[in-house]
Amino acid sequence: MTARINIPSSLHIGANAIDLAGQESRRLRRKHVLIVSDPFIVGSGLTGRVSDILSAEGIASTTFSDVQPDPTDRNVLDGLATLKENGCDCLIAVGGGSSIDTAKGISVLATNSGSLFDFMGYGRIPEAGLPLIAVPTTAGTGSECTKVTVITDTDRDVKMMILDPHLLPAAALVDYTLTMSMPKPLTAHVGVDTLTHGIEAYVSKKASPMTDTIALSCIALVGRHLRDAWNDPKNEIAREGMMLAASQGGMAFANSSVCLVHGMSRPIGAMFHVPHGLSNAMLLPAVTEFSIHGAMSRYATVARTLGLSRGNDSDEHACGKLIEGLLSLNEDLEVPQISECGISQEQFSSVVEKMAGDALASGSPQNNPIVPDADEIISLYLNAY
Ligand code: NAD
């Protein structure tokens, strides 16, 4: 079987990469850019900075600032209307995964008929979208390097996972200085999201030698830098390491896959609006424990790569250390349990069956080293609560 690898055709990585927004738009021969962002990032002045950079290159811009965390189909349609009203021919997303994913949705709806729901799943988008330049401000989702968008279908309360090479940004400006303002909880949630991407890409049934290398590099960077970025938010070395890890995590999982953690995490986000990285973090230790016997030597390599186990430990011992290490990482980063997020046991139990069905329908659990049935997913949800 051959491995197919898609990454953006142009990646700029380093401090002040954002300043290349004008140069990249010119390379793409664009005249009017839709800047897609959220109210916090607009208020921080970052979208104004991009707009000034574009105007210095003679390129017009309009800003759409209504992206909400865990974006919905309505956010995408509102952004599409702004794009059409202003005749934009290109998009620049400035923000976290939510802004980048919204821009991806707008980009493909601008050139395809139908709704995002028609494109849910794998490889179902007929035409390429308008070009997108992604400028991440969280070191987490890696969306700047993925052919994936995750948008909530508000009619069905489902976070739709759409994967298609047409969703890949044309360029990514990976500038760690934009992440220095992240508060501790956000740093923790998006940092464990990155770790989950690296681990799931590595243990997935769709892993390949190319994604293995990138996934292990991502995991090693998280092991080295996440606690430092959380303890000392102004630590530039740690922020730079986590930004690189995030982009590598995105490249790894989008060309391998995510697995059971993501499959179970999206329904929690759709039902209870728990931030995506947080719901991953809450599930990662329990789902890893469930999955370990399906890929013991791979999980042992993850433990060694994170520095949790020595090379001469047995795989079984290393896997035990991995579970302990993931639990203590959550504790150190003050990641709460599901029961501590204002979700009552009754509310949670009443939707576990729907969540298990939605998890299986997403396709992600089927890539897991051990493929669970609906009852096993329900038990995992209840144990993680
Ligand atoms: P986000 O984009 O939802 O942002 C969360 C909050 O952080 C927002 O209020 C935002 O304003 C704020 N924020 C962003 N950057 C900041 C900064 N530098 N300083 C301070 N605050 C900042 O968060 P996210 O975790 O990056 O994205 C989550 C979304 O990404 C989810 O919808 C998830 O499903 C999706 N996702 C997509 C992919 C993909 O490949 N497309 C991968 C993983 C997750």
Side-chain angles (χ1 to χ4, degrees):
M1 207 174 81
T2 54
R4 180 183 191 183
I5 306 294
N6 297 117
I7 60 171
S9 61
S10 192
L11 277 169
H12 298 272
I13 302 167
N16 301 316
I18 190 173
D19 291 337
L20 298 170
Q23 187 183 302
E24 276 299 319
S25 306
R26 203 158 25 85
R27 177 181 75 83
L28 296 165
R29 300 181 188 284
R30 299 292 131 173
K31 293 192 170 65
H32 193 147
V33 172
L34 183 73
I35 301 173
V36 178
S37 193
D38 69 42
F40 170 82
I41 296 292
V42 173
S44 75
L46 264 188
T47 52
R49 180 171 162 192
V50 170
S51 178
D52 290 347
I53 293 165
L54 292 171
S55 97
E57 297 280 347
I59 298 166
S61 65
T62 299
T63 300
F64 172 72
S65 61
D66 288 340
V67 173
Q68 70 181 75
D70 298 315
T72 67
D73 41 11
R74 290 181 194 149
N75 293 147
V76 174
L77 291 178
D78 289 347
L80 181 65
T82 309
L83 176 133
K84 286 185 171 165
E85 274 158 29
N86 292 280
C88 301
D89 57 1
C90 174
L91 299 100
I92 299 185
V94 186
S98 297
S99 295
I100 300 173
D101 283 6
T102 302
K104 288 176 177 178
I106 299 169
S107 149
V108 294
L109 285 189
T111 54
N112 288 277
S113 50
S115 76
L116 283 179
F117 182 68
D118 300 328
F119 305 144
M120 186 170 158
Y122 298 83
R124 301 183 62 190
I125 302 176
E127 301 292 334
L130 293 177
L132 164 65
I133 300 171
V135 187
T137 63
T138 58
T141 69
S143 180
E144 66 277 8
C145 290
T146 77
K147 50 190 167 189
V148 174
T149 186
V150 185
I151 304 289
T152 298
D153 175 334
T154 44
D155 288 338
R156 296 170 186 82
D157 268 341
V158 169
K159 273 185 103 172
M160 297 180 285
M161 204 280 297
I162 308 172
L163 184 148
D164 191 296
H166 290 321
L167 292 169
L168 198 64
L173 310 178
V174 182
D175 181 345
Y176 72 88
T177 64
L178 309 181
T179 68
M180 305 290 294
S181 53
M182 284 200 296
K184 283 190 172 202
L186 185 60
T187 301
H189 305 162
V190 298
V192 183
D193 191 22
T194 292
L195 177 60
T196 310
H197 292 157
I199 295 177
E200 294 212 298
Y202 186 64
V203 301
S204 165
K205 291 184 172 172
K206 292 186 178 158
S208 70
M210 181 66 101
T211 56
D212 284 351
T213 307
I214 306 170
L216 288 176
S217 173
C218 160
I219 293 165
L221 285 165
V222 174
R224 216 173 300 144
H225 296 296
L226 178 52
R227 278 188 175 82
D228 286 348
W230 188 86
N231 282 318
D232 176 14
K234 296 292 165 209
N235 183 329
E236 294 211 19
I237 291 171
R239 291 296 197 187
E240 186 170 17
M242 282 309 300
M243 194 58 156
L244 196 54
S247 290
Q248 290 180 348
M251 284 182 210
F253 92 73
N255 292 294
S256 167
S257 80
V258 285
C259 304
L260 183 56
V261 177
H262 275 78
M264 290 178 59
S265 171
R266 287 184 218 107
I268 296 181
M271 297 308 299
F272 299 109
H273 307 291
V274 172
H276 169 78
L278 173 56
S279 50
N280 277 346
M282 295 187 300
L283 294 168
L284 182 61
V287 172
T288 302
E289 192 166 16
F290 170 83
S291 310
I292 257 170
H293 288 281
M296 197 171 251
S297 76
R298 290 215 154 221
Y299 281 108
T301 301
V302 171
R304 294 182 189 113
T305 306
L306 281 169
L308 297 169
S309 171
R310 289 189 306 268
N312 55 357
D313 287 339
S314 70
D315 283 356
E316 193 155 9
H317 184 79
C319 287
K321 291 280 178 202
L322 178 60
I323 304 300
E324 281 171 28
L326 295 176
L327 287 168
S328 74
L329 181 66
N330 275 0
E331 205 174 306
D332 292 352
L333 302 182
E334 297 176 2
V335 170
Q337 306 266 85
I338 301 171
S339 54
E340 295 166 321
C341 294
I343 304 165
S344 73
Q345 176 105 52
E346 294 70 41
Q347 276 176 305
F348 195 70
S349 304
S350 70
V351 293
V352 279
E353 249 174 69
K354 171 180 168 36
M355 292 200 299
D358 289 346
L360 282 170
S362 74
S364 300
Q366 287 74 356
N367 302 317
N368 206 54
I370 293 180
V371 179
D373 61 23
D375 287 341
E376 286 169 315
I377 295 183
I378 290 173
S379 315
L380 280 167
Y381 274 132
L382 295 176
N383 287 344
Y385 178 83

